[in-house]
Amino acid sequence: MTIYSERALRRGHIAAATFFFTNGAVFANLVPRYPELKAELGLNATIYGVVLAMNPVGAIVAGVAAGVLIRRFGSAAVAVIGTLGLAFGVTAAAWAPNVWILACAFFIGGSLDAITDVAQNANALRVQAARGRSIINSMHALWSLGAVTGGAIAAGAIALDIPVKWHILASSLVLVGVAFWARSWSLPGSESESGSGSAEAATARPAGRATTAIVLTLTALVLIAIGGGLTEEVAFSWAALYLGDEVGAPAPLAAAGFIGLVGAQFIGRIVSDRLVDRFGERTVIICSGLFIAGGIGLAIGVPTVWGACLGFALAGFGCAPAIPLAMQQADRIPGLRAGTGLTIVTWLMRLAFLVAPPLVGAIADATSIRVGLAVSLTGGLLVLALAFVMPRKVAA
């Protein structure tokens, strides 16, 4: 393992954090402006949901290529090029003249976002291995901070009546520039030199057969990740529409539900490590399910601006640890080669992002968005029901 200077480690840490921040901010700039895209192209809720589902379709199709690209070009380079491709997809969506181009733009954006997601996590794990201490949860917190920042910029652009086309073009150019700058600070050398992804790490645990117990445990962890992911995805796709169309919030304030959720998610990810150390993973996941279900229940049960915003914030705090802890526990399953469980959970949890938008859209057309949001409530109940697969205390 290469020994890096403190200066190189500090710069590499900042670069890894920047990749997460820009990834969260690029797409979040567009999310509060979804209602404008829907209205401009005259989409009903079902078609709108199907179009949004092109994002996870692209992610599922392209996500498996991330490992090959990282081994060939390095995690930092792939993260930056992925950010560029994501920005292109987001900008194409903002400029889309018809539903077909909009769907293609979301497909492209989802494809590159999935590759960026794997690359930035691999890069952060390189830094973590080199530093000898955990940083991965704080990296995910910075993704949430990026999403808050992007949502706030979008809310400001709406308030200033800046057209979505020019707002997204400008924000994408700036954020891509920041990502390219961060590339120059990333850890030098190959992926294996920091110990992340090395042959030694890959063989640290012997590969075993996929026994029934392993399959059931992995399935439960995938469902926990999906339960947390449903909350995030539904808020991305429907919170602004719910607040604007059904609660009656003005356009700038309609973004508050999404901003509140990702802001609370950021706080949840900042404190989750301490909560796990103090109370154990199982207790944290139980609370996660309760907060998700209770928050979404409040948002749809009290359809006012403050009721919805508070509900989304509680749900965001609740969903914060679900995905990181599910990934972490999957990577600890005895009998699986290191990284196998993590890869499976990361890839399959995107099924939630594929199913949720069209499902909520179909329910919204048949009844209302308010009823459709109950999908997230069931996600919280799913997390709560499967919490027993998590250890009572964090593994050493």
Side-chain angles (χ1 to χ4, degrees):
M1 180 187 298
T2 300
I3 305 299
Y4 296 99
S5 68
E6 181 58 32
R7 181 172 182 268
L9 288 174
R10 186 168 59 250
R11 285 191 165 201
H13 196 152
I14 292 171
T18 303
F19 295 148
F20 275 85
F21 179 86
T22 53
N23 179 246
V26 167
F27 206 89
N29 265 278
L30 184 64
V31 171
R33 309 207 72 161
Y34 278 0
E36 296 173 56
L37 301 181
K38 179 177 180 291
E40 185 175 339
L41 298 178
L43 309 179
N44 63 27
T46 300
I47 297 300
Y48 170 75
V50 170
V51 168
L52 293 183
M54 290 301 100
N55 187 286
V57 167
I60 291 171
V61 169
V64 293
V68 175
L69 294 173
I70 290 168
R71 287 191 294 272
R72 175 67 178 82
F73 301 105
S75 58
V78 174
V80 172
I81 298 303
T83 299
L84 175 62
L86 171 61
F88 172 80
V90 168
T91 303
W95 286 73
N98 57 58
V99 66
W100 300 106
I101 293 179
L102 182 65
C104 289
F106 274 112
F107 181 89
I108 292 170
S111 299
L112 274 298
D113 183 50
I115 291 171
T116 306
D117 188 21
V118 177
Q120 68 191 12
N121 275 281
N123 186 257
L125 290 172
R126 281 195 70 202
V127 177
Q128 178 171 284
R131 302 213 80 158
R133 61 182 176 87
S134 177
I135 65 167
I136 195 65
N137 286 313
S138 65
M139 295 294 102
H140 282 267
L142 283 164
W143 182 93
S144 299
L145 181 61
V148 172
T149 303
I153 292 171
I158 294 170
L160 294 172
D161 202 25
I162 298 173
V164 61
K165 296 178 180 180
W166 300 111
H167 154 223
I168 297 301
L169 179 61
S171 63
S172 294
L173 286 173
V174 170
L175 290 166
V176 167
V178 171
F180 270 91
W181 164 81
R183 171 69 180 89
S184 66
W185 276 25
S186 60
L187 283 183
S190 67
E191 297 300 297
S192 63
E193 289 184 10
S194 65
S196 176
S198 65
E200 179 183 2
T203 57
R205 292 197 306 265
R209 291 181 299 174
T211 65
T212 300
I214 289 175
V215 171
L216 291 176
T217 300
L218 267 177
T219 300
L221 292 171
V222 168
L223 291 174
I224 287 174
I226 285 176
L230 277 174
T231 307
E232 184 179 295
E233 178 62 21
V234 170
F236 263 66
S237 304
W238 297 98
L241 279 171
Y242 174 61
L243 278 159
D245 293 356
E246 296 196 6
V247 177
L253 191 55
F258 162 73
I259 294 171
L261 185 141
V262 293
Q265 186 186 61
F266 166 72
I267 295 171
R269 285 175 170 168
I270 287 292
V271 304
S272 63
D273 284 333
R274 292 184 180 180
L275 293 176
V276 168
D277 288 342
R278 183 174 177 83
F279 301 108
E281 294 177 9
R282 185 179 300 180
T283 299
V284 170
I285 288 296
I286 289 172
C287 292
S288 171
L290 290 172
F291 269 93
I292 292 171
I296 296 298
L298 176 61
I300 62 180
V302 184
T304 63
V305 172
W306 294 112
C309 288
L310 178 58
F312 283 129
L314 291 173
F317 186 85
C319 77
I323 291 176
L325 288 182
M327 289 179 174
Q328 177 176 273
Q329 188 59 24
D331 204 42
R332 294 173 174 166
I333 296 176
L336 289 182
R337 193 178 297 276
T340 301
L342 173 62
T343 301
I344 291 172
V345 169
T346 302
W347 190 62
L348 290 182
M349 75 175 185
R350 291 183 179 273
L351 290 173
F353 304 158
L354 171 62
V355 173
L359 177 60
V360 175
I363 295 172
D365 273 340
T367 54
S368 66
I369 298 175
R370 182 183 177 191
V371 176
L373 289 175
V375 170
S376 284
L377 191 151
T378 62
L381 297 177
L382 190 64
V383 172
L384 185 61
L386 296 172
F388 68 90
V389 301
M390 308 298 289
R392 291 186 181 275
K393 293 184 178 180
V394 66

